[in-house]
Amino acid sequence: MSGQTIGNAVAVRDNGPGALVAAHRADIELVMPSHMQKRVGAWIRTTQGLLRRDEKLLKAAQNDVGQFMSVLLDAARLGLEPGTEQYYLVRRYNRKKGYDEVTGVRGYQGEIELMYRAGAVSSVIVEVVRQRDGFKYRPGRDERPEHDIDWDLSLEARGDLRIAYAYAVMKDGATSKVVVLNRGHIAKARAKSDGADQSWSPWNTDEEAMWLKTAAHRLAKWVPTSAEYIREQLRAKADVDAERQPAPLPTGPLPQPFDSSEPHDEDDAIDAEFVDDETGEARS
């Protein structure tokens, strides 16, 4: 079977949205970060495979194909893999429309990926603390949290989730702001999430991942993300390069050499002006 025949068979089996994803390959590739563009084919096949495996998700995508494509383009723009812990594809009931549609939820791995991609951090730590874990962090006194785990205990034996925390170690060795969230903080975040009470919500299918995601999302406010950081770096480099450029040579006529043989009055004063060439400014 030829590659074209296989492609057609996949399109028919996807019954609409899968074929639409392939048809919009150029649009998806256009918004993707450059490092992802070589993998656009695999990215599309992963999305099509997800639709084939989940009939309810496929039906939601068919209900509103425009909404589905908007979600995929958002994932592509961020350079994240849809249907993974980087970027969840979730069915959501739209009360105004009266049917399920597909929405996107950025996962904790997606939040971390964007921090690393910025190039400012050397490591990102996002963890959950369970009831029988030891945890200590005193803001203003401790640089980083102390989290003790008895690895001999099973996950169940460690107890229920009680805290999520996140921080980043910058490339200069400094520690970012430390984010610590208790169960109350997580409950407020969950209450703001559409469909969190539904059985298909990642809040119910993967609760720990959503605790991690909430902490990582809060940390993202204090750590550079890819777009803003790269723009700042480019601007700073442009400023440095401009300062290093040699001063332009004069374009007018060159001054005449001084003729020492020309008589002059030694008592005549020479008007002069001192110019301070220092133009650098202190930067914070």
Side-chain angles (χ1 to χ4, degrees), residues 55-105:
E55 293 184 1
K56 292 182 178 180
L57 184 67
L58 172 60
K59 182 63 168 62
Q62 290 171 331
N63 288 339
D64 194 331
V65 175
Q67 164 69 12
F68 175 63
M69 286 304 303
S70 176
V71 167
L72 289 188
L73 288 173
D74 180 60
R77 177 181 60 82
L78 295 170
L80 302 178
E81 294 281 353
T84 69
E85 289 185 336
Q86 287 190 351
Y87 195 95
Y88 294 99
L89 295 182
V90 179
R91 289 185 299 112
R92 178 184 64 182
Y93 182 74
N94 189 314
R95 292 182 176 87
K96 292 182 179 180
K97 298 177 182 177
Y99 53 72
D100 285 345
E101 63 183 10
V102 177
T103 188
V105 178

Side-chain angles (χ1 to χ4, degrees), residues 249-255:
L249 295 174
T251 57
L254 295 175

Side-chain angles (χ1 to χ4, degrees), residues 25 28-29 32 36-45:
R25 174 177 178 140
I28 293 170
E29 189 172 4
M32 273 185 168
M36 290 284 293
Q37 291 174 354
K38 293 182 179 179
R39 300 184 58 248
V40 63
W43 191 95
I44 288 173
R45 289 190 294 274

Side-chain angles (χ1 to χ4, degrees), residues 27-221:
D27 296 325
I28 293 170
E29 189 172 4
L30 183 65
V31 301
M32 273 185 168
S34 57
H35 75 279
M36 290 284 293
Q37 291 174 354
K38 293 182 179 179
R39 300 184 58 248
V40 63
W43 191 95
I44 288 173
R45 289 190 294 274
T46 298
T47 306
Q48 291 174 326
L50 181 65
L51 292 174
R52 290 195 295 272
R53 292 192 302 272
D54 190 335
E55 293 184 1
K56 292 182 178 180
L57 184 67
L58 172 60
K59 182 63 168 62
Q62 290 171 331
N63 288 339
D64 194 331
V65 175
Q67 164 69 12
F68 175 63
M69 286 304 303
S70 176
V71 167
L72 289 188
L73 288 173
D74 180 60
R77 177 181 60 82
L78 295 170
L80 302 178
E81 294 281 353
T84 69
E85 289 185 336
Q86 287 190 351
Y87 195 95
Y88 294 99
L89 295 182
V90 179
R91 289 185 299 112
R92 178 184 64 182
Y93 182 74
N94 189 314
R95 292 182 176 87
K96 292 182 179 180
K97 298 177 182 177
Y99 53 72
D100 285 345
E101 63 183 10
V102 177
T103 188
V105 178
R106 196 185 305 178
Y108 81 96
Q109 290 186 358
E111 299 278 4
I112 294 172
E113 169 66 17
L114 295 178
M115 294 179 206
Y116 276 120
R117 199 181 298 163
V121 304
S122 61
S123 62
V124 179
I125 292 81
V126 185
E127 293 289 348
V128 292
V129 181
R130 293 183 173 270
Q131 290 294 336
R132 291 180 177 83
D133 294 351
F135 182 79
K136 183 176 70 173
Y137 176 65
R138 297 168 296 179
R141 298 176 63 183
D142 298 332
E143 183 181 10
R144 302 170 188 176
E146 293 183 12
H147 182 191
D148 296 322
I149 301 173
D150 184 349
W151 294 109
D152 286 331
L153 296 178
S154 65
L155 198 63
E156 293 75 14
R158 284 174 57 197
D160 294 335
L161 298 168
R162 66 183 182 96
I163 290 173
Y165 68 93
Y167 65 90
V169 180
M170 313 307 288
K171 285 195 171 178
D172 62 3
T175 302
S176 72
K177 178 181 177 63
V178 178
V179 173
V180 180
L181 305 175
N182 61 25
R183 183 170 286 275
H185 296 127
I186 298 296
K188 289 181 179 179
R190 175 173 179 157
K192 295 178 181 178
S193 177
D194 292 337
D197 58 340
Q198 301 296 317
S199 60
W200 41 259
S201 170
W203 280 103
N204 296 307
T205 61
D206 200 348
E207 184 183 18
E208 180 174 324
M210 293 306 292
W211 280 55
L212 294 168
K213 184 258 181 177
T214 305
H217 185 68
R218 296 286 179 89
L219 177 63
K221 299 177 182 178

Side-chain angles (χ1 to χ4, degrees), residues 221-239:
K221 299 177 182 178
W222 302 95
V223 176
T225 55
S226 55
E228 68 182 62
Y229 185 75
I230 290 173
R231 282 197 298 269
E232 289 296 329
Q233 291 295 302
L234 291 175
R235 277 197 290 266
K237 184 178 184 301
D239 291 343

Side-chain angles (χ1 to χ4, degrees), residues 231-270:
R231 282 197 298 269
E232 289 296 329
Q233 291 295 302
L234 291 175
R235 277 197 290 266
K237 184 178 184 301
D239 291 343
V240 171
D241 290 344
E243 291 176 0
R244 289 177 176 173
Q245 291 295 324
L249 295 174
T251 57
L254 295 175
Q256 296 299 317
F258 175 71
D259 186 358
S260 60
S261 63
E262 183 178 346
H264 61 280
D265 189 346
E266 293 182 357
D267 292 332
D268 288 344
I270 300 176

